Structure formats: C-alpha cells, structure tokens
Amino acid sequence: MTSDITRIGAGGPPADGLGARPAGYETMDDHELLRLHVAGNPDTFGILVKRHRDRMWAVAIRTLGEPEEAADALQEAFISAFRRADSFRGDAKVTTWLHRIVVNACLDRIRRRQVRAADPLPEDEDRAAELAGPAKDDPAEVRERRLDVLNALKQINSDQRSALVLVDMEGYSIEEAAAILGCAPGTVKSRCARGRARLLPLLRHWQTTRGGSDVPAKTAAESVGTE
Amino acid sequence: MTDSGLPTSEHLEHLDTDTIADLIENLLPAPEAHRAREHVKACPDCQQTYDALVQLTEDLADEGRADIPMPTDIAEHLDAVIVSESVLRSSTVGVHSLVQLREEPRRHLPKLVLAAAGVIVIAAVGVGVVVSTADHSNEGAAGINPTLPAGEVPSMTTDQVGPNAQKWLENSNGPVLHGSSDEIQCARVFAAGRPGSELRLVQPAKVDGKRATVIGLPGGSPQDIQLSVVTGCSGSGGVATPFYDTTVTLRNR
C-alpha cells in the first residue's frame, strides 16, 4: 500500500506563454491551463478535461460500476471543478485535486443510493463490452481483464468496493482513504480485507493463467514469521 | 467460499478466506493471529490462499494504473457540458474571472440567467438532442423569460432535466411548486422519506415521453438541489417511483 498517487499526474510539456493560440494550449502543463481558465480563458478547462478524462472515467466506473452513474458523477465533478477552480491551491498537482473531486462525487452518489436502498440500480448489460473501451485501442486480453475487474467489483458491496478502489487500485494510503471515506483507518483496512476475500474467487483465474500461485510474491512464513 | 481452490465448509480445518485476509491486514487479535500464522505455515492450501490474496493486491494495483477510455457518447456529452459552462461564463458581460464572479454574484445574476437559457440550446445541439418544440413554445423564448406558466407540462429528455430545473429555480426567489394539489402532496410524501425533505421544486413534465414529476430537494450544500424524476404522482393518491436523479448547483443561492 502506498500513498504515491503520482500516476494520476500526467502533466504535460512546459507552458509556452499566455498569448498562445488554441493549438498551443495542448502543450501547456495542467497548472498553466487551470490558471488561464481561472483568468477567464474559455478553452483551457476543456483541454484539461480531454487530457484527464480517461483517468477519471476509470476511477468513476470502478467506484460506481454503472456507466450512467459514472457519467453523471463525472459531469458533476467536472462542473464543480470548473466553477471552483480558483480554490485550487497551486502547490498540489492539478490531477490530484481533480481526482479528489471525482472521488467525492462518486462517493456522494453511493451515499445517496444507499439512502434509498429499495431503489436498485438498473443493470446495463448492453454496455458491458463498451466499458472495456474501443476495441481498436487495446489488445483483447487487456480489455478482457479490465472487464473482469469491473464485473467482479460490481459484485462486492459498495463500501468494500470504495475502499478497495481507493487503496488497492488508486494508491491512496489507508489514512488518506479513511479521511476521504469519513471512517476510521481500521474500518478501511477491514473493508479492504473483506473486499479482497470476496474478489479472490471472482478473479482467481487471473492467477492461474499467469501462473501466479507458482511464483508467489512472498510466502506467509516470510511475511508473518514475526509476531 | 465455493471456489475449489479455497477452504470450504467441508474442510473445517482450513482457515476461511476472510480470516486469512484479516491476517494479512493485521486485523486479528494477537492470540488468533498467532494461531492463524502457525496454521498458514503448516497448511499448503491456506498458504496458497494467502499468496493468492497478496498477489491479488498487486494485480489490482497494476490494473488500477491503467486508464479506461471513456465511451465516445459520454465524452461528447461531457465536452458539450463544459462548452456550455464556458459559454455561460463568457456571456456574462464584463466578468472574466471566477474570482470576480464569486465576489459579485448578485450584480451579474440577471445576465447569468439569460446566458443559462441560451446555453441549454447550445448543450442540446452539442449532444445531438432535439428539444421538443411543441411543449417548449414558451421556452423557445426562454432567453427572455425562462420560467414556465403553472399549468404547462414541458417535454424533455433526462439529460435536460438538470439544466431546465436549474433555470426554473435560478429564476425564482423561492421554491417552485407547480402541478395539482394531488401532485404536490405526492411529492411531499416522497420528500418525507429523504434526508432533505423541504420541497424546492415540483414540476409536472414529460421526461423521455413519460408523464413524470420533477422533484427538487435540498442537496449537500445550500446551493445544491437534489433532483428526482418520478412517475406515479400525476394521478390522485399516487405513489412516487423515481427513475432518474441528478444534482444541480444554483448560482444565486
């Protein structure tokens, strides 16, 4: 478990100045785009969205499971970011800030959904294949694996799923995830542990196909040998 | 656990997967943790489950590093929404920065409302949605008066519910409660079961061709309105069944 979430910070090439034409925006870094947006530029926020939407879509669809919900959450998140961009503190990464807004929008939707537990989400099986992304973009095994994870995540409860996505998949520390989820660190650890136990039988074929169990990362004896 | 490789109820001597997962996260009380560790060391099956759980964590991290391409229709819709936001902002004459807008919201409000009405049209075009002209004859002039007469039942798609409701509410100083007394009562009953139960909006509408009621309740912050689109409220003594919800943020609250 690591608190390193630098992988969401794609960033961009260095800024090339304020007077750049629209085509030049593509080469600006995230901070510069956001600064221009706050100053009134009508185009730069859209470029930020395009730059990071696949990353944010991954977070939303893994956390929420349903494309319609994920799309709504992302829309809320990006509008919120658009309007509150002037509250962004320049010492953080733009992607870290954006990521947090997206996570919060997703969790808000889960909480609202839980309030009306008698209102089950519709299954949207028609879109299942689409969730794995356009066929031309990735090799078949990558798409298949992606779908396996999305389908498995949908089968565990939303508390466990949120904790697992934040900690195991997005790389937040237990403490950061606890702050985001508004619960104790021990609760996050417990949800992660139970979530992994639920996911294991659903994803075990990964490890058989990879021969994972033949080459364990570390043995229990090595890992738990001291008390 | 029913997976053939995992401990099952027929093999009570094995640890269950939850216990092994808890062991890995150091969640077990000391005596139990000690027993579990000793068992895992001695039991190949449980050792295998232990290894598989450790491996699963690593596999999830690998998978988590990968982006997922956003479906094209969702990406296009999102682009249109962002364009709408930009148009809304830039139509506000004399206001160029978010800071100015935040500091002087009242001064710019009327322009914002006018701009918002125009933006609906742009957003609709951007996502290829044709606004129903029959029921929107008043709304066609929405740039001038983006309110609805009390008796009107506008048609819209679910995507348009949020922008429309935002417009109705931003153009009003208080709650907007339209529809028959039965319909409003039905909305009250629906609202009573929600966290914020004070009705902010009741608007009869045709949403995706269905006769529905758009209900607005307080959201997470004073500016947010939680919208639910329900069926079942148009008749007498009806019970609301929600089929779509979204949240809008009002700029003038």
Side-chain angles (χ1 to χ4, degrees), chain A residues 7 37 40-42 54-55 62 75 83 86 112 116 130 194 196 198 204 207 218 220 224 227, chain B residues 6 18 22 25 34 37 40 47 52 63-64 66-67 70-71 77 85-86 89 96 102 226 245 247:
Chain A
R7 60 182 179 243
H37 164 67
N41 186 298
D54 289 351
R55 177 75 229 146
R62 285 174 187 138
Q75 181 174 321
R83 293 178 183 175
D86 57 335
R112 278 183 242 146
R116 40 176 222 282
E130 191 189 338
R194 296 306 167 95
R196 288 179 207 125
R198 299 283 96 72
R204 193 126 202 207
Q207 296 175 354
K218 51 186 173 180
V224 298
E227 198 168 342
Chain B
L6 300 179
D18 280 351
D22 285 354
E25 276 293 340
H34 177 75
R37 280 190 200 104
V40 168
Q47 175 73 62
E63 184 64 22
D67 293 352
M70 179 182 275
H77 179 74
E85 281 289 310
S86 282
R89 188 172 66 153
H96 295 295
R102 193 179 297 276
Q226 167 71 40
D245 63 32
T247 301

Side-chain angles (χ1 to χ4, degrees), chain A residues 113-130:
Chain A
R113 199 198 286 170
Q114 284 171 338
V115 167
R116 40 176 222 282
D119 182 16
L121 272 177
E123 282 290 322
D124 196 358
E125 307 223 337
D126 290 348
R127 300 202 69 162
E130 191 189 338

Side-chain angles (χ1 to χ4, degrees), chain B residues 8-229:
Chain B
T8 67
S9 55
E10 290 91 356
H11 301 88
L12 290 177
E13 70 273 18
H14 290 314
L15 298 175
D16 65 29
T17 313
D18 280 351
T19 303
I20 298 174
D22 285 354
L23 175 68
I24 293 171
E25 276 293 340
N26 292 319
L27 289 166
L28 297 178
E32 200 182 329
H34 177 75
R35 278 197 301 274
R37 280 190 200 104
E38 292 306 310
H39 177 93
V40 168
K41 282 183 207 168
C43 172
D45 282 357
C46 290
Q47 175 73 62
Q48 195 179 12
T49 301
Y50 184 102
D51 294 339
L53 281 165
V54 171
Q55 183 68 49
L56 175 67
T57 307
E58 293 174 8
D59 287 346
L60 287 174
D62 282 347
E63 184 64 22
R65 277 185 271 275
D67 293 352
I68 300 179
M70 179 182 275
T72 311
D73 58 334
I74 294 175
E76 285 172 356
H77 179 74
L78 185 60
D79 286 346
V81 167
I82 298 303
V83 168
S84 305
E85 281 289 310
S86 282
V87 170
L88 181 67
R89 188 172 66 153
S90 61
S91 334
T92 311
V93 179
V95 177
H96 295 295
S97 79
L98 289 174
V99 177
Q100 282 175 287
L101 201 56
R102 193 179 297 276
E103 286 171 354
E104 305 177 80
R106 298 273 166 206
R107 204 182 109 203
H108 304 298
L109 187 60
K111 295 163 194 160
L112 276 175
V113 172
L114 289 176
V119 161
I120 305 292
V121 175
I122 291 166
V125 171
V127 297
V129 175
V130 178
V131 177
S132 163
T133 50
D135 287 330
H136 281 250
S137 48
N138 283 320
E139 209 183 321
I144 297 161
N145 180 17
T147 58
L148 284 168
E152 186 166 345
V153 181
S155 291
M156 66 197 74
T157 64
T158 49
D159 283 346
Q160 295 165 326
V161 168
N164 276 327
Q166 184 174 17
K167 183 181 57 177
W168 301 327
L169 287 165
E170 285 180 344
N171 203 44
S172 156
N173 291 324
V176 176
L177 305 180
H178 290 159
S180 66
S181 57
D182 279 344
E183 189 151 6
I184 292 173
Q185 181 56 29
C186 175
R188 279 193 211 291
V189 172
F190 173 76
R194 300 299 175 113
S197 58
E198 184 191 342
L199 285 178
R200 296 291 172 83
L201 171 68
V202 177
Q203 175 63 53
K206 264 194 176 172
V207 178
D208 289 345
K210 282 182 283 199
R211 174 64 171 83
T213 311
V214 182
I215 300 175
L217 298 170
S221 76
Q223 297 83 24
D224 288 344
I225 299 292
Q226 167 71 40
L227 296 171
S228 296
V229 183

